[in-house]
Amino acid sequence: MAAIERNAATPTTVRPLRRGDGDFVLDVAVAAGMFPSDAAGFLSGMVETYLEGGTERGERMAILDNGQPLAMAYWRPVEATNGTFDLTMIAVMPQAQRAGAGATLLAHLEDDLRGRDGRLLLVNTSSGTDFDAARAFYEKYGFIRAETIDDYWDAGDDLIVFRKSL
């Protein structure tokens, strides 16, 4: 397992999501291949719901920014659990991929969770080949493949659940 390193070449300004970042969330999710562009309603709703009280519910959205946003992450507590969190989304603009941006955000959110007595972090992803790099990223940083649910997203596209003890 690779340690999460804060790469000196990668901008390290991590800030909370703020009003005005909604277009970036959509842009990065589409550019990273996580969602099709027609998912705008879902992502816009997610951002608005977060801005209207997400932090009070224990949710966090962060942006990696070097004068322009490069990556974002969204994590939240899993209801009815003690210290279990869901990494709902981590996405990096193509020009910042494989340069430490994702690792910087992951280190930031893990530090946040440890400071809040987080003990377990879960990630749901797809078995599709478009998500090979995402699965490799999670495995590189210590996530363990915990479960596979066949045909979850679509016929032939399985849900893969990763877990990481904090």
Side-chain angles (χ1 to χ4, degrees):
M1 163 179 66
I4 298 175
E5 299 175 11
R6 288 166 174 88
N7 184 336
T10 302
T12 56
T13 302
V14 179
R15 62 170 175 80
L17 180 104
R18 57 185 179 229
R19 293 217 176 269
D21 287 330
D23 287 344
F24 172 71
V25 171
L26 174 60
D27 291 346
V28 70
V30 171
M34 297 183 70
F35 295 100
S37 59
D38 62 359
F42 162 75
L43 293 171
S44 296
M46 181 181 78
V47 167
E48 282 306 310
T49 299
Y50 172 78
L51 290 170
E52 292 172 0
T55 56
E56 290 83 15
R57 294 185 299 272
E59 301 170 16
R60 300 291 185 268
M61 280 189 157
I63 303 283
L64 182 68
D65 194 323
N66 71 344
Q68 67 177 18
L70 297 175
M72 67 82 55
Y74 173 42
W75 62 103
R76 59 191 175 156
V78 176
E79 290 183 41
T81 68
N82 181 22
T84 301
F85 288 80
D86 174 71
L87 174 52
T88 304
M89 186 171 144
I90 188 166
V92 179
M93 292 300 282
Q95 70 270 20
Q97 291 176 359
R98 294 171 189 75
T104 298
L105 275 174
L106 186 59
H108 173 83
L109 74 91
E110 288 182 6
D111 288 347
D112 171 74
L113 294 176
R114 286 186 190 100
R116 297 195 281 152
D117 296 324
R119 60 178 187 78
L120 182 64
L121 182 57
L122 302 176
V123 177
N124 295 332
T125 192
S126 166
S127 66
T129 57
D130 290 352
F131 288 84
D132 287 348
R135 291 190 307 276
F137 172 84
Y138 296 126
E139 289 171 343
K140 178 179 180 179
Y141 291 108
F143 285 83
I144 298 166
R145 191 180 296 223
E147 185 66 47
T148 300
I149 300 174
D150 297 339
D151 302 319
Y152 181 86
W153 304 107
D154 200 352
D157 189 3
D158 307 336
L159 165 68
I160 299 177
V161 180
F162 285 92
R163 69 181 307 274
K164 184 175 185 179
S165 295
L166 298 170

